[in-house]
């Protein structure tokens, strides 16, 4: 299948994982493995594709983790950046570049984009009351406030969300709020922040979204729900000591809100990659040329940021391409329950890699990918698919073919003779397989691609059984040679599809 004519190159990103903890299987199934499959396929097609990711190293979760351990935020991000990078490499992630948002290039790029928008008078400045901890002498970001959820009454709700009922909250909505720093009752105090008026971009975002009716229903549904409710103002600065400093003298002590600076990490990481190629301006080809196809792979919790907020920022700037697709996945659960980093209920990639092989995990996560709805990782099903599909179908066929070739043909490929109907049937299946699998991948239907692949292996196994080469090796050597020739061709095709 040919790439769309208007695109000369493809830029793929995966959501930047927070560097405050390790990677678990839910992360892999949502934003990383699907992207890696897509990128590997595009490389096989000899297309110009760059795959960018990296660590998201700012934000409140980082500072909370640092305070719990009694170390600096930089210590936390250094630890998890390198641990997660290594785990990704062992899992087989084929990033072109894996950056980090604590890098000088990222800070500089984020300040440049903020300054451009500020110079264009995009932002609004507002003075509002926020919760302040007098004992700690600081304004409290949402995650530093806990209290009773006004919706369900849960007493351990955070200032941004109730983990029990899932409601989005603001810190001032909590009943009986307490500071997570001192356990004191915080007081309201005035502070000034910079806001991006997303409502000003509502029409432009809506018209742009309408040009992408091919996007996944779960993505369009969430985006249109936000648009129907009307876009409001969104703060782009925070009162924090850790992050990208706001490049204005009157904003001393404020940093860029992590939702604003994190997606800029895609741009800054591409800049660093370009510098590695000894072509510092190469990044512009991928971010500022309309012949670039930009694809964001994310989980559903990032849909609004990648389909409304980041595009609005890029529209406001004026020089960047917009995403061509945002194939967000739903969530992966574990044995029927929600994965939770805070509750340590997960299968951590590092732990898995100490005990088991990578390929069965990549296979099973693709087979159970939460592409259209939440799915479930079940250990028994993982074992069953590994044994009955990878081993009994795929492995069995390849092993039988290669063992038979070694024993009966001294490991050489025998000549292909006259073809019967079964020969022609399998050859037709093999010839059609790359396009069938490729078409599914182009549409971000990785499960469909995988099931098409294993169906080919199933057909190969049946062909071997039906042709009975262990009999024809004596009764009809030429037919046996043809059978094994086609089986070896099938092994080669399966290796390509894998």
């Amino acid at each position: 299948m040919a790439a769309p004519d208007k695109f000369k190159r493809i830029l793929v990103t995966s959501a930047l994982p927070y560097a405050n903890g390790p990677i678990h299987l839910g992360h892999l199934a949502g934003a990383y493995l699907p992207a890696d499959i897509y990128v590997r396929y595009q490389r096989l097609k000899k297309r110009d594709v760059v795959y960018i990711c990296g660590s998201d190293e700012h934000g409140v979760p980082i500072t909370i983790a640092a305070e719990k351990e009694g170390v600096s935020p930089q210590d936390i991000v250094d630890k998890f950046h390198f641990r997660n990078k290594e785990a990704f490499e062992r899992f087989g992630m084929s990033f072109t570049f894996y950056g980090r948002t604590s890098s000088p290039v990222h800070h500089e790029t984020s300040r440049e984009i903020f300054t451009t928008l500020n110079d264009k008078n995009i932002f609004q400045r507002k003075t509002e009351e926020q919760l302040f901890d007098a004992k700690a002498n600081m304004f409290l970001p949402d995650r530093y406030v806990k209290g009773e959820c006004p919706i369900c009454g849960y007493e351990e709700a955070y200032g941004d969300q109730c983990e029990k009922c899932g409601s989005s909250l603001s810190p001032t909505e909590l009943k009986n709020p307490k500071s997570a720093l001192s356990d004191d009752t915080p007081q309201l105090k005035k502070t000034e922040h910079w806001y991006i008026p997303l409502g000003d971009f509502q029409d432009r975002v809506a018209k742009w979204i309408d040009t992408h009716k091919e996007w996944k229903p779960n993505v369009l549904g969430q985006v249109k729900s936000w648009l129907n409710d009307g876009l409001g103002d969104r703060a782009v600065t925070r009162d924090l000591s850790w992050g990208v400093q706001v490049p204005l003298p009157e904003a001393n002590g404020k940093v860029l809100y992590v939702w604003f600076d994190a997606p800029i990490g895609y741009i800054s990481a591409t800049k660093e990659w370009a510098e590695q190629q000894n072509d510092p301006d190469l990044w512009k080809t991928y971010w500022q040329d309309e012949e670039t196809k930009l694809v964001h792979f994310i989980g559903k919790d990032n849909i609004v940021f990648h389909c409304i907020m980041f595009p609005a920022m890029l529209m406001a700037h004026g020089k960047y391409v917009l995403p061509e697709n945002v194939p967000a996945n739903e969530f992966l659960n574990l044995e029927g329950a929600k994965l939770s980093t805070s509750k340590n209920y997960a299968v951590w990639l590092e732990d898995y890699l100490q005990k088991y092989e990578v390929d069965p995990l990549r296979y099973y996560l693709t087979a159970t990918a939460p592409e259209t709805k939440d799915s479930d990782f079940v250990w028994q099903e993982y074992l069953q698919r590994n044994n009955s599909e990878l081993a009994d179908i795929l492995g069995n066929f390849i092993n039988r073919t290669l063992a038979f070739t070694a024993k009966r043909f001294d490991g050489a490929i025998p000549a292909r003779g006259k073809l019967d109907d079964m020969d022609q049937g399998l050859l037709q299946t093999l010839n059609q397989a790359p396009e069938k699998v490729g078409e599914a991948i182009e549409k971000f239907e990785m499960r469909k691609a995988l099931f098409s692949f294993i169906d080919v292996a199933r057909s190969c196994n049946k062909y071997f059984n039906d042709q009975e080469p262990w009999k024809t090796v004596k009764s009809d050597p030429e037919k046996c040679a043809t059978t094994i020739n086609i089986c070896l061709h099938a092994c080669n095709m399966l290796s390509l599809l894998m």
Side-chain angles (χ1 to χ4, degrees):
M1 291 181 64
D5 291 338
K6 66 177 181 176
F7 298 118
K8 286 186 177 179
R9 67 196 69 83
I10 305 170
L11 176 61
V12 175
T13 71
S14 282
L16 307 184
Y18 256 143
N20 71 323
I23 301 297
H24 60 59
L25 302 194
H27 297 133
L28 299 176
Y32 306 104
L33 179 56
D36 191 58
I37 293 170
Y38 181 78
V39 167
R40 287 168 178 269
Y41 165 77
Q42 300 296 349
R43 289 180 182 139
L44 279 174
K45 298 291 285 186
K46 307 297 183 187
R47 292 174 184 154
D48 179 355
V49 57
V50 169
Y51 182 18
I52 296 295
C53 193
S55 296
D56 181 356
E57 299 183 327
H58 299 137
V60 176
I62 305 292
T63 55
I64 290 177
E67 282 161 12
K68 283 182 179 177
E69 295 190 24
V71 297
S72 72
Q74 190 68 53
D75 290 332
I76 293 291
V77 298
D78 284 347
K79 177 172 73 171
F80 286 111
H81 169 75
F82 292 108
R83 276 178 59 179
N84 290 343
K85 185 181 180 189
E86 181 186 0
F88 274 138
E89 288 171 355
R90 291 177 63 194
F91 183 67
M93 295 299 301
S94 57
F95 302 124
T96 304
F97 187 83
Y98 191 81
R100 55 190 311 192
T101 62
S102 65
S103 75
V105 172
H106 175 73
H107 280 240
E108 179 186 351
T109 304
S110 298
R111 287 193 292 264
E112 283 175 358
I113 290 177
F114 176 91
T115 299
T116 298
L117 269 58
N118 190 58
D119 289 347
K120 295 173 79 170
N121 296 315
I122 298 295
F123 299 128
Q124 294 178 359
R125 290 168 67 172
K126 293 185 187 181
T127 298
E128 293 186 345
E129 289 188 322
Q130 292 186 2
L131 293 177
F132 183 82
D133 185 332
K135 185 179 285 188
N137 193 33
M138 67 175 282
F139 284 96
L140 296 174
D142 40 32
R143 282 267 154 172
Y144 277 75
V145 184
K146 281 188 175 183
E148 183 181 326
C149 174
I151 310 298
C152 71
Y154 181 58
E155 295 183 352
E156 292 289 311
Y158 288 106
D160 61 343
Q161 185 181 39
C162 174
E163 291 200 339
K164 186 172 182 180
C165 70
S167 299
S168 293
L169 304 170
S170 66
T172 53
E173 291 179 294
L174 292 177
K175 298 178 181 178
N176 304 316
K178 294 288 184 183
S179 167
L181 288 174
S182 66
D183 204 38
D184 268 17
T185 300
Q187 305 299 317
L188 287 171
K189 185 177 178 180
K190 289 183 178 180
T191 183
E192 184 181 51
H193 283 292
W194 281 251
Y195 287 73
I196 184 168
L198 292 174
D200 291 355
F201 297 90
Q202 169 120 8
D203 290 344
R204 287 180 65 184
V205 170
K207 286 178 182 177
W208 168 64
I209 291 293
D210 280 342
T211 66
H212 289 292
K213 299 186 188 303
E214 77 284 2
W215 284 14
K216 294 170 71 169
N218 61 321
V219 175
L220 289 176
Q222 192 177 138
V223 170
K224 288 180 179 178
S225 175
W226 273 67
L227 291 172
N228 289 339
D229 289 343
L231 301 181
D233 300 341
R234 187 91 179 187
V236 301
T237 61
R238 294 195 98 172
D239 292 299
L240 273 178
S241 59
W242 175 251
V244 178
Q245 297 296 315
V246 178
L248 296 171
E250 64 270 34
N252 185 38
K254 299 183 190 295
V255 299
L256 295 180
Y257 211 145
V258 69
W259 78 260
F260 184 88
D261 94 87
I264 296 173
Y266 302 138
I267 301 170
S268 59
T270 313
K271 283 186 176 182
E272 292 190 63
W273 166 74
E275 289 174 0
Q276 284 189 352
Q277 310 309 304
N278 296 317
D279 187 355
D281 287 334
L282 182 59
W283 72 272
K284 295 178 182 177
T285 307
Y286 291 87
W287 277 103
Q288 298 183 343
D289 188 319
E290 291 185 356
E291 293 178 316
T292 296
K293 179 179 182 178
L294 173 60
V295 183
H296 294 309
F297 284 85
I298 58 171
K300 67 178 176 182
D301 53 337
N302 270 316
I303 288 174
V304 171
F305 296 104
H306 287 74
C307 298
I308 293 179
M309 298 179 190
F310 188 43
M313 289 164 54
L314 299 179
M315 289 174 181
H317 189 282
K319 287 188 177 180
Y320 289 89
V321 298
L322 299 176
E324 191 63 24
N325 210 314
V326 186
N329 273 357
E330 301 291 291
F331 288 156
L332 180 77
N333 296 320
L334 174 60
E335 299 283 357
K338 184 179 178 181
L339 285 158
S340 173
T341 300
S342 61
K343 296 176 182 176
N344 198 30
Y345 184 73
V347 177
W348 305 104
L349 179 57
E350 290 173 325
D351 293 344
Y352 175 92
L353 292 171
Q354 290 179 7
K355 302 173 184 177
Y356 307 114
E357 295 296 321
V358 165
D359 283 334
L361 179 62
R362 289 177 67 104
Y363 182 85
Y364 178 61
L365 287 178
T366 306
T368 191
E371 291 179 345
T372 56
K373 61 182 180 180
D374 289 359
S375 63
D376 207 12
F377 185 99
V378 179
W379 279 109
Q380 191 59 43
E381 186 184 357
Y382 161 86
L383 290 171
Q384 181 265 324
R385 284 194 179 273
N386 180 68
N387 294 339
S388 66
E389 295 174 11
L390 282 181
D392 291 353
I393 296 173
L394 178 63
N396 184 49
F397 169 72
I398 292 174
N399 182 62
R400 293 166 83 190
T401 298
L402 298 183
F404 195 97
T405 305
K407 183 177 181 181
R408 297 294 187 175
F409 296 97
D410 296 325
I413 301 173
R416 185 183 300 184
K418 184 179 178 182
L419 303 179
D420 63 19
D421 288 346
M422 278 194 284
D423 298 331
Q424 291 175 342
L426 183 62
L427 287 172
Q428 184 178 12
T429 296
L430 295 173
N431 289 339
Q432 293 172 346
E435 184 172 353
K436 190 174 182 181
V437 171
E439 184 178 3
I441 293 174
E442 292 277 15
K443 293 179 179 178
F444 312 106
E445 296 172 343
M446 307 308 172
R447 292 178 65 180
K448 184 177 180 180
L450 185 85
F451 296 149
S452 295
F453 156 71
I454 203 66
D455 280 346
V456 174
R458 204 173 269 115
S459 298
C460 293
N461 234 344
K462 184 178 186 303
Y463 170 82
F464 194 101
N465 285 338
D466 292 348
Q467 290 289 41
E468 300 180 322
W470 59 91
K471 291 183 180 178
T472 57
V473 69
K474 295 178 180 177
S475 62
D476 192 345
E478 183 179 336
K479 179 178 175 61
C480 178
T482 298
T483 299
I484 297 304
N485 175 289
I486 292 172
C487 285
L488 289 167
H489 173 61
C491 289
N492 185 54
M493 179 60 73
L494 288 168
S495 72
L496 181 71
L497 296 174
M498 275 187 246

